[in-house]
Amino acid sequence: MKWFVIAVETRLIATLQITLFMICLMNMAAAQSDLDQSIEEMISNVETDEQIDVSSFSEELEEYLIHPLDINRATTEELSILPGMNDLKINRLVSYRQEFGDLLSVYELQAIPGFRVHEIRTWLPFITVKSGKEKDISPGQKHPAGPKVKELFREMNSEIIHRQSWVVENQKGYLSPDTTFKDIEDQDGNIIGQDTSIDQRYRGSKFRNYTRFRARYGKNFSAALTGEKDPGEIFLWNPAKGQLGYDFLSGHVAIGNYGNLKQLVIGDYNLQLGQGMILSRGIGFGKGAEVISSLKMPDKGILPYSSVNENQFMRGIASTVALGDFYLTAFYSRLALDGTIPSDDSTQTATSLKTSGFHRTETEQLFRKNLKESVMGGRINYRSPTLRLGMTGLLQQYGIPVEKPLNDYNQYDFRGDRNHLMSVDFDWVFQNINVFGELGRSRSGGTGAVLGIMGSLAPTVDVSLLARRFTRDFHSNRGYVFAERPTAVQNETGIYLGIKIKPGTRWVLSGYVDQFYFPWNRFRASFPSRGWEYLAQVEFKPRRGTEVYLRYRQDAKEINSDIFLEGQQLEYLVLTRKRLLRLHFQTNIHRDVSYRSRIEFSWFQKEGEESQTGILFFQDLSWKFGFKYKLTGRYALFDASDYNARIYAYENDVLGFSSIPPYYHTGSRYYLIFNWKPIKKLEFWARIAQTQLFKNQALGSGLEEITGNSRTEVKVQGRIQF
């Protein structure tokens, strides 16, 4: 009977392959568009004024475009890169392979419970199926020997990327300093002296320069050298201060998946362990329309680092070795950080850690790389197909004590020159349920805990639940967790509930509710405070390539009031509410032309004050001209009465970068990206973006200020592959 079922399945699969042959061709033609869409889905919930370096994630998916992932042999870590994939789906795939053997086609994924057609279509450019004889790996071989050195060097992919960007208009930081003496007045307006100081200016040019060389072979070998100069910084050769031309240099050599040696990195790296309470820096998904998978942090272990964030990495050596089902990890890092050290401080203490990475002015140069940090630790991890258990320890040592000036909200922040943390974590998949969590403790005695569960109540209903608690004296400055303040990992208690319902093949209903409480004061809240957030979304996909969704989101928090009644001196909390309503539509007009339109409204209300409103409307168009040219553009109109009513929107960028800028004030914005690939191994990008404000006569503030109502950014990038 079993052979009869398999024969019938094989015939059906063959028929399905023929039926969907044209779809497959269209997917391969639109592979780069799928890559862009996957990146957008990953970071669409991030709200930041800065550019987002997605080079690591885009490289993984681009590698799958060149060498599609064999879903019959892929590991859990490799499968987790696919957009929308989670441990529940991975466990179902593994169980299906164990029961029926290797998949005969990627379309056989439709036979696995929980795998949706639109998800499979998203994965098509990145996955394949191969015979087990093609690789030195089989389901019974836990630690394959890996490729031979000769094969590694013969098939290694190498590339050089150079990027340059600048703002066309003159910013204050690049103009001549103000040498005029200004009168100093007292409170009554009397002149009591003159200010003889000279305003600071940037020391370098307005150009941002980025160069990177990288060579890699799948998960087995990686070597990279990256250099970046931020706008306003100078090229300087000063080995004594650790500057060799570029202001920031990063590099690594890594080998992995050679028998029991799972990973060895010398140079710069990152660690993503457990649920991220101790170590997990990188891009987090955060709260958003993906209400199920986003609450679980990725446990990827050691990751070679080739990005340009100057603080969120480690520098030294790290390695993971496998002994059967047990994985042992050890790491050491010594890094020079930016710290604020007062010049008149005879005790040599740092009053703060500076994380901007900018070294443009004389003052910023004084704080450059003057605080040494040493980090060492280890991890033991047990892994089976359905269960993971881990224990992690970390010791941090600073060259001088960190002593922040005391105020009402930072009394329990880290102070001193040493910190150590311990944590235990688990991850268990049982049928349609995934339970995971982490419990940690820092040197101060503060504790942190995360406990989550996600599963399927029915074939069309998925739910997720996560509770977290971080005491006010829990100290973990290298963690990233699913929380209201994901990088703070301190002074927060909360519970999150998400649900996704798929009533049909074309409809998806999703939503979440998150309640949180801050048991101690925080910035702009002089008392313990609370808040909540919820989201509801209806998504409709009438056909492949077309999507419409309506999203409503509300965020409420308590902060200090700015209004005092007559005679009132004690601060008090008031409630703020921000509501967002979005209608989004996108479609593929042709396999080479895609169109996207969005209108979004925002309302911000602070108790006792007038409400602020905002609106954003944009049109996007992406057009591929054959296989060599691609043009992507946007035109947006916006009107937000205040920064609190700002609206964030994802923007396409050159390969390796994306941005989600805030739209506020009244104005328009456009950007155009031209992509040219004259030959297979050579590619160029050019991007121009301009913001024009209708009512303002200046943009920016401080040394970034532009006199005028427009700001134009230009970016060019080239890549050559070997």
Side-chain angles (χ1 to χ4, degrees):
M1 184 66 181
K2 182 177 180 180
W3 292 106
F4 173 77
V5 172
I6 294 175
V8 172
E9 286 181 352
T10 304
R11 180 66 59 85
L12 290 173
I13 292 165
T15 303
L16 185 60
Q17 284 180 294
I18 296 172
T19 305
L20 298 178
F21 178 71
M22 292 304 296
I23 294 178
C24 183
L25 291 179
M26 291 177 65
N27 270 283
M28 295 306 294
Q32 188 63 44
S33 298
D34 290 324
L35 178 59
D36 293 337
Q37 184 177 352
S38 299
I39 294 172
E40 179 178 1
E41 290 177 356
M42 175 186 176
I43 68 172
S44 61
N45 304 314
V46 180
E47 294 187 350
T48 175
D49 296 3
E50 302 295 331
Q51 282 190 323
I52 303 171
D53 187 348
V54 295
S55 56
S56 177
F57 179 74
S58 62
E59 284 170 3
E60 296 279 2
L61 285 181
E62 192 176 25
E63 180 72 15
Y64 291 168
L65 286 176
I66 301 171
H67 303 290
L69 182 66
D70 181 8
I71 56 176
N72 283 329
R73 304 290 175 264
T75 64
T76 299
E77 289 76 14
E78 292 170 334
L79 288 168
S80 65
I81 296 295
L82 298 174
M85 184 66 78
N86 57 45
D87 283 354
L88 288 175
K89 289 186 174 68
I90 294 172
N91 185 56
R92 290 167 184 163
L93 173 58
V94 173
S95 299
Y96 184 88
R97 292 189 315 209
Q98 291 173 346
E99 184 173 357
F100 297 106
D102 287 353
L103 280 71
L104 303 180
S105 165
V106 292
Y107 302 108
E108 193 176 344
L109 289 171
Q110 296 176 82
I112 304 176
F115 282 71
R116 313 282 294 183
V117 173
H118 71 273
E119 292 173 331
I120 298 170
R121 285 172 175 168
T122 303
W123 301 332
L124 285 180
F126 309 116
I127 61 176
T128 188
V129 295
K130 296 180 181 179
S131 168
K133 297 180 180 179
E134 295 184 39
K135 293 285 182 180
D136 177 22
I137 184 171
S138 65
Q141 190 171 2
K142 186 178 292 293
H143 307 301
K148 296 180 180 179
V149 175
K150 186 177 180 180
E151 175 190 350
L152 187 150
F153 281 98
R154 184 177 67 246
E155 299 187 18
M156 185 186 303
N157 297 315
S158 303
E159 67 177 18
I160 295 176
I161 292 179
H162 180 74
R163 180 187 309 127
Q164 196 161 28
S165 61
W166 65 95
V167 174
V168 175
E169 291 81 6
N170 288 325
Q171 296 168 288
K172 185 178 179 180
Y174 303 103
L175 303 177
S176 299
D178 185 1
T179 58
T180 60
F181 293 162
K182 300 177 182 178
D183 293 333
I184 301 176
E185 299 179 350
D186 59 16
Q187 295 180 350
D188 299 325
N190 301 316
I191 299 176
I192 58 176
Q194 285 188 317
D195 180 5
T196 59
S197 63
I198 298 176
D199 291 343
Q200 288 206 51
R201 291 295 187 265
Y202 296 148
R203 302 169 70 227
S205 70
K206 65 168 63 177
F207 296 100
R208 179 193 300 270
N209 293 289
Y210 169 95
T211 304
R212 188 187 72 180
F213 167 79
R214 182 162 187 175
R216 63 183 299 176
Y217 179 85
K219 299 289 185 180
N220 299 107
F221 178 81
S222 173
L225 180 63
T226 305
E228 186 198 43
K229 180 197 86 74
D230 290 315
E233 296 176 342
I234 60 173
F235 282 96
L236 181 66
W237 185 265
N238 190 348
K241 291 190 175 182
Q243 186 168 351
L244 307 175
Y246 283 102
D247 181 77
F248 175 71
L249 282 174
S250 173
H252 72 259
V253 176
I255 59 175
N257 294 318
Y258 275 89
N260 291 349
L261 179 61
K262 310 313 293 181
Q263 189 67 276
L264 172 64
V265 180
I266 299 174
D268 296 345
Y269 61 92
N270 251 329
L271 292 162
Q272 293 186 347
L273 307 177
Q275 287 305 300
M277 281 207 320
I278 292 181
L279 286 166
S280 183
R281 280 305 171 112
I283 298 175
F285 292 93
K287 291 179 285 188
E290 178 44 63
V291 300
I292 306 299
S293 303
S294 62
L295 56 81
K296 185 177 180 182
M297 293 294 105
D299 182 5
K300 296 182 179 179
I302 305 170
L303 299 173
Y305 186 79
S306 58
S307 298
V308 291
N309 187 298
E310 301 185 25
N311 298 278
Q312 295 181 2
F313 70 98
M314 303 174 77
R315 175 167 290 172
I317 184 171
S319 180
T320 296
V321 177
L323 301 176
D325 291 331
F326 289 88
Y327 294 74
L328 307 178
T329 299
F331 53 89
Y332 173 78
S333 168
R334 182 168 175 80
L335 191 63
L337 304 175
D338 294 350
T340 304
I341 303 176
S343 57
D344 58 349
D345 186 0
S346 59
T347 61
Q348 282 293 289
T349 60
T351 57
S352 67
L353 298 177
K354 302 183 72 66
T355 59
S356 69
F358 291 136
H359 309 112
R360 303 163 298 184
T361 65
E362 294 289 347
T363 301
E364 290 175 347
Q365 275 288 327
L366 291 175
F367 302 144
R368 184 182 186 275
K369 311 300 182 186
N370 57 1
L371 179 61
K372 305 298 182 183
E373 179 203 45
S374 297
V375 180
M376 65 180 66
R379 174 175 172 84
I380 181 170
N381 185 216
Y382 168 81
R383 301 181 189 176
S384 74
T386 59
L387 178 64
R388 292 189 177 194
L389 300 173
M391 178 180 293
T392 306
L394 176 147
L395 173 64
Q396 273 180 303
Q397 178 76 49
Y398 293 104
I400 59 175
V402 177
E403 297 290 344
K404 298 180 180 180
L406 279 172
N407 58 43
D408 65 328
Y409 62 85
N410 73 0
Q411 296 181 32
Y412 293 92
D413 286 4
F414 171 78
R415 289 178 174 81
D417 62 353
R418 177 176 297 188
N419 186 31
H420 57 72
L421 299 104
M422 291 286 295
S423 79
V424 292
D425 60 88
F426 72 96
D427 189 345
W428 179 48
V429 179
F430 177 71
Q431 295 182 354
N432 293 330
I433 298 176
N434 183 198
V435 185
F436 52 91
E438 185 171 9
L439 175 65
R441 186 178 187 274
S442 63
R443 182 172 183 257
S444 62
T447 59
V450 173
L451 178 63
I453 181 172
M454 57 185 180
S456 299
L457 298 181
T460 59
V461 180
D462 296 332
V463 295
S464 60
L465 178 68
L466 183 135
R468 72 267 186 187
R469 181 179 183 272
F470 314 111
T471 61
R472 59 191 180 184
D473 57 346
F474 181 62
H475 302 142
S476 176
N477 65 358
R478 287 190 171 274
Y480 189 106
V481 296
F482 184 90
E484 176 64 18
R485 301 187 302 166
T487 58
V489 200
Q490 181 185 14
N491 187 36
E492 181 176 337
T493 299
I495 186 166
Y496 169 97
L497 174 64
I499 185 169
K500 179 181 288 187
I501 304 173
K502 303 168 185 176
T505 57
R506 299 179 180 181
W507 292 90
V508 178
L509 310 177
S510 55
Y512 70 76
V513 177
D514 186 42
Q515 288 190 312
F516 42 88
Y517 174 66
F518 306 109
W520 184 251
N521 308 352
R522 58 189 178 90
F523 180 64
R524 297 185 65 194
S526 300
F527 302 94
S529 58
R530 64 184 69 247
W532 65 87
E533 183 177 345
Y534 64 82
L535 175 146
Q537 176 170 300
V538 180
E539 182 180 359
F540 176 54
K541 295 185 176 181
R543 61 183 179 87
R544 182 182 180 273
T546 299
E547 176 185 357
V548 183
Y549 70 79
L550 179 66
R551 177 186 301 177
Y552 178 77
R553 178 178 175 180
Q554 182 171 157
D555 188 5
K557 296 186 186 72
E558 292 178 323
I559 64 173
N560 288 336
S561 174
D562 296 327
I563 301 175
F564 288 87
L565 301 177
E566 185 177 353
Q568 185 177 7
Q569 297 181 355
L570 183 66
E571 291 183 326
Y572 62 99
L573 300 179
V574 295
L575 187 66
T576 65
R577 296 176 186 265
K578 185 172 183 179
R579 295 171 291 160
L580 295 164
L581 179 64
R582 173 188 299 180
L583 177 61
H584 179 94
F585 170 77
Q586 65 184 52
T587 187
N588 292 334
I589 301 173
H590 181 266
R591 72 177 186 179
D592 294 331
V593 182
S594 61
Y595 168 80
R596 179 167 49 188
S597 180
R598 178 184 300 174
I599 185 168
E600 186 163 2
F601 303 91
S602 70
W603 300 268
F604 178 83
Q605 176 70 60
K606 186 174 182 180
E607 188 178 333
E609 299 182 13
E610 293 184 3
S611 63
Q612 307 291 335
T613 60
I615 183 174
L616 166 66
F617 175 72
F618 69 69
Q619 306 276 355
D620 288 359
L621 189 67
S622 179
W623 192 350
K624 292 187 66 176
F625 302 84
F627 293 97
K628 291 186 177 182
Y629 308 100
K630 182 180 179 181
L631 185 65
T632 303
R634 166 179 296 176
Y635 183 74
L637 293 170
F638 55 91
D639 183 6
S641 55
D642 186 79
Y643 184 74
N644 288 321
R646 66 193 180 277
I647 300 174
Y648 287 91
Y650 170 88
E651 291 188 355
N652 294 97
D653 211 312
V654 301
L655 182 69
F657 271 81
S658 292
S659 53
I660 308 181
Y663 290 74
Y664 62 100
H665 294 311
T666 302
S668 65
R669 179 172 172 82
Y670 75 85
Y671 68 80
L672 291 172
I673 305 172
F674 180 67
N675 180 210
W676 177 39
K677 195 170 186 178
I679 58 177
K680 184 177 180 181
K681 300 295 184 180
L682 184 63
E683 196 165 5
F684 297 97
W685 292 263
R687 184 182 194 265
I688 182 170
Q690 185 181 77
T691 299
Q692 186 171 18
L693 301 183
F694 301 154
K695 300 179 181 179
N696 297 57
Q697 296 303 315
L699 284 83
S701 60
L703 297 182
E704 293 291 294
E705 181 180 327
I706 296 172
T707 301
N709 67 340
S710 64
R711 186 179 190 272
T712 308
E713 312 144 31
V714 177
K715 185 179 297 183
V716 292
Q717 175 172 291
R719 177 176 71 167
I720 182 170
Q721 296 174 296
F722 307 95

